[in-house]
Amino acid sequence: MQKSAHKRGQLLGVLAASLVLAFSPLVNASTPAPSAALVKYDYDQDIFHPVYAKNGMVAAEQELATRVGVDVLKRGGNAVDAAVAVGFALAVVLPNAGNLGGGGFMMLHDARSGKDIALDFREIAPVRASRDMYLDDKGNVADGRSLYTHLAVGVPGTVAGMEYALKQWGSMKLADIIAPSIKLAEEGMPVSVTLAKMLQVEKDNLGKWPGTRAIFFRNGEPLKAGDRLVQKDLAKSLRLLAKHGSKVFYQGEIGDKIVAEMARHGGLISKDDLRNYKVEQREPVSGDYRGYKVVSMPPPSSGGTHIVQILNMLERYPLAQYGANSAQTIHYLAETMKLAYADRAEYLGDPGFVKVPVRGLTAKRYADELAARIDPQAVLPASAIKPGKPQPYESDQTTHYSVVDSKGNAVAVTYTLNLNFGSGIVAEGTGILLNNEMDDFSAKPGVPNAYGLIGGDANAIQPGKRPLSSMSPTLVLKDGKPWLVTGSPGGARIITTTLQTIVNAIDFGMNPAEAAATPRVHHQWLPDELRVEKGLSPDTLAILRQQGYKVAVKPTMGRTQTIQVRPDGLYGFSDPRNPDGATLGY
């Protein structure tokens, strides 16, 4: 019996914990009737209800891609099969972030072995890249060079990563996995209101390139809501991948067209860059938080390291007693975030090029040292914070999706083009948008990137190096089995968004719907600003300002896709900040 639902509509306003939660209604949504098992989880007290399914579930930012993944599960595929299918589908239906021309990370729990695996298919700097390639003749960062030119493109890893995962842990053939995406690209799909707005916002960048205009423009203007987006060249590329696998991307027809695109416009990617690309299987970063095991991505992602680091500091505070989004809870969130982001700027980079003190940063004793600096009331100004010394303890646009199957396998994937539509450049004849991931390097130490993040020498540009990322696909385990599968896009805010999802679930007992809908806060050390979403109590904001925080109410942060595993089934939710997202199961 199918018990699936998806939310539509927008979040009008939310206040959590001691505040009143006000949510917009779910249209065409259904929830299961209360049962003995659900009462155990305070179903009757839940203000906002997640989607329920018994056997398998997919949570993604675009409903068409979610349906592709659920169909794979229904056909007997496992969570990896479904995750790879969703990855290819999002490249078609979520062109601003889903991709073949970008890269990312996958966190996997393999139920058969009980192992947790971190898969790194992050982009790589071309061999001809150099440390000062984005500086002008005066030594200043040249505006836009690392974002909207062919020099911004890193060697893509998504195609290699998806194929690697399927071969290692999947059960289906690549051609069968890609078939739904070919159909979506060939037949087209209606442009949603959300996608139409993004196309309009990015029209100047997208409109520079004939190959991009041919796909996303009509009569000189970006496609509008309701127009049909047909991607014939992308369908052709997908057919080639279905027939020949990743070899056609890295050593064949598709790769040749990418290299030709680079050559025509002064880009750096060569045939050798593509041929030499390798996926890395890494040991996850892990930590314990209030009896749960948190497993996430290691460097070159900073996400897992700093989520564990912050949780280590937070564990000493009775957050459940303070309440969700109380001034006291937000104070401790902000102070621990600042300390972690200062360390990020100093130590994090590609472990193939720099020694990253992950064990030190995630050590409980190092958290003790950092937390000793936190006053229960006083605000520690950013100017007083320098990167700590973890060594002694050594022993936007992006998208995320989550998948769980009936066998206990769980997959969390976060992958990206970097900004919306990446560089905006489509490799002519491929239909494939190319990333602008090179901006994630430190173009110049101490100068912020597009997300305002400060970087140092550890993340300086070097040939063959992977840029530092905040992407944080994360698994939370209970008794050795997946309990929560989550992650988010959001640039610099990915780490703090994912962190708050975990804290909301563990400390405040929120279900995935409530956790997603609760207003978020963010502090990244520099700029010295406490960023918050609307919906917090005016009283809380007044207390925070009196404490000395520079509070700034800004646009929403993150778009989580979360699945929780309970004894009676799966509960999931797609962040209401994106009305196109959907969680479905069977």
Side-chain angles (χ1 to χ4, degrees), residues 338-404:
K338 285 190 289 189
L339 292 166
Y341 273 80
D343 281 349
R344 183 190 189 277
E346 178 73 13
Y347 298 114
L348 270 291
D350 183 343
F353 288 76
V354 296
K355 182 172 176 56
V356 183
V358 174
R359 288 187 181 180
L361 289 165
T362 58
K364 296 281 188 179
R365 287 190 298 141
Y366 182 54
D368 294 341
E369 178 184 308
L370 292 178
R373 303 184 63 190
I374 299 175
D375 186 279
Q377 298 298 327
V379 174
L380 188 62
S383 59
I385 298 175
K386 305 298 179 186
K389 296 184 182 298
Q391 291 88 344
Y393 305 103
E394 275 282 303
S395 320
D396 209 87
Q397 262 314 330
T398 300
T399 189
H400 176 87
Y401 57 95
S402 299
V403 185
V404 175

Side-chain angles (χ1 to χ4, degrees), residues 299-353:
S301 170
S302 61
T305 300
H306 295 306
I307 286 172
V308 171
Q309 182 186 16
I310 295 170
L311 289 173
N312 284 344
M313 288 185 272
L314 289 175
E315 197 169 28
R316 71 200 64 244
Y317 307 118
L319 300 185
Q321 177 182 320
Y322 300 147
N325 278 349
S326 67
Q328 190 67 64
T329 291
I330 293 174
H331 170 69
Y332 284 126
L333 285 172
E335 296 303 291
T336 55
M337 288 172 183
K338 285 190 289 189
L339 292 166
Y341 273 80
D343 281 349
R344 183 190 189 277
E346 178 73 13
Y347 298 114
L348 270 291
D350 183 343
F353 288 76

Side-chain angles (χ1 to χ4, degrees), residues 45 301 415:
Q45 295 184 26
S301 170
Y415 75 151

Side-chain angles (χ1 to χ4, degrees), residues 235-469:
K236 180 181 177 182
S237 292
L238 288 165
R239 282 197 195 90
L240 288 169
L241 289 168
K243 184 176 180 179
H244 302 290
S246 68
K247 189 173 183 179
V248 75
F249 189 97
Y250 293 94
Q251 299 181 44
E253 181 178 336
I254 297 174
D256 289 345
K257 290 179 179 178
I258 292 173
V259 171
E261 178 72 28
M262 293 291 114
R264 281 193 297 271
H265 299 280
L268 300 182
I269 295 175
S270 67
K271 286 188 177 184
D272 285 343
D273 287 319
L274 289 171
R275 186 183 298 112
N276 294 329
Y277 183 87
K278 286 184 174 59
V279 176
E280 296 286 348
Q281 189 173 319
R282 302 187 186 276
E283 186 70 25
V285 172
S286 65
D288 295 317
Y289 182 69
R290 305 197 198 280
Y292 294 83
K293 183 180 181 181
V294 178
V295 183
S296 191
M297 282 303 304
S301 170
S302 61
T305 300
H306 295 306
I307 286 172
V308 171
Q309 182 186 16
I310 295 170
L311 289 173
N312 284 344
M313 288 185 272
L314 289 175
E315 197 169 28
R316 71 200 64 244
Y317 307 118
L319 300 185
Q321 177 182 320
Y322 300 147
N325 278 349
S326 67
Q328 190 67 64
T329 291
I330 293 174
H331 170 69
Y332 284 126
L333 285 172
E335 296 303 291
T336 55
M337 288 172 183
K338 285 190 289 189
L339 292 166
Y341 273 80
D343 281 349
R344 183 190 189 277
E346 178 73 13
Y347 298 114
L348 270 291
D350 183 343
F353 288 76
V354 296
K355 182 172 176 56
V356 183
V358 174
R359 288 187 181 180
L361 289 165
T362 58
K364 296 281 188 179
R365 287 190 298 141
Y366 182 54
D368 294 341
E369 178 184 308
L370 292 178
R373 303 184 63 190
I374 299 175
D375 186 279
Q377 298 298 327
V379 174
L380 188 62
S383 59
I385 298 175
K386 305 298 179 186
K389 296 184 182 298
Q391 291 88 344
Y393 305 103
E394 275 282 303
S395 320
D396 209 87
Q397 262 314 330
T398 300
T399 189
H400 176 87
Y401 57 95
S402 299
V403 185
V404 175
D405 65 24
S406 61
K407 301 176 183 66
N409 299 301
V411 180
V413 178
T414 313
Y415 75 151
T416 184
L417 288 167
N418 196 24
L419 301 187
N420 267 325
F421 305 98
S423 63
I425 299 165
V426 170
E428 190 173 329
T430 69
I432 296 172
L433 278 158
L434 299 174
N435 67 83
N436 56 1
E437 210 61 67
M438 294 293 288
D439 186 69
D440 269 3
F441 283 114
S442 297
K444 183 178 181 180
V447 177
N449 68 2
Y451 296 105
L453 287 169
I454 301 294
D457 288 337
N459 191 37
I461 302 168
Q462 289 179 258
K465 191 176 185 180
R466 298 173 192 240
L468 182 59
S469 172

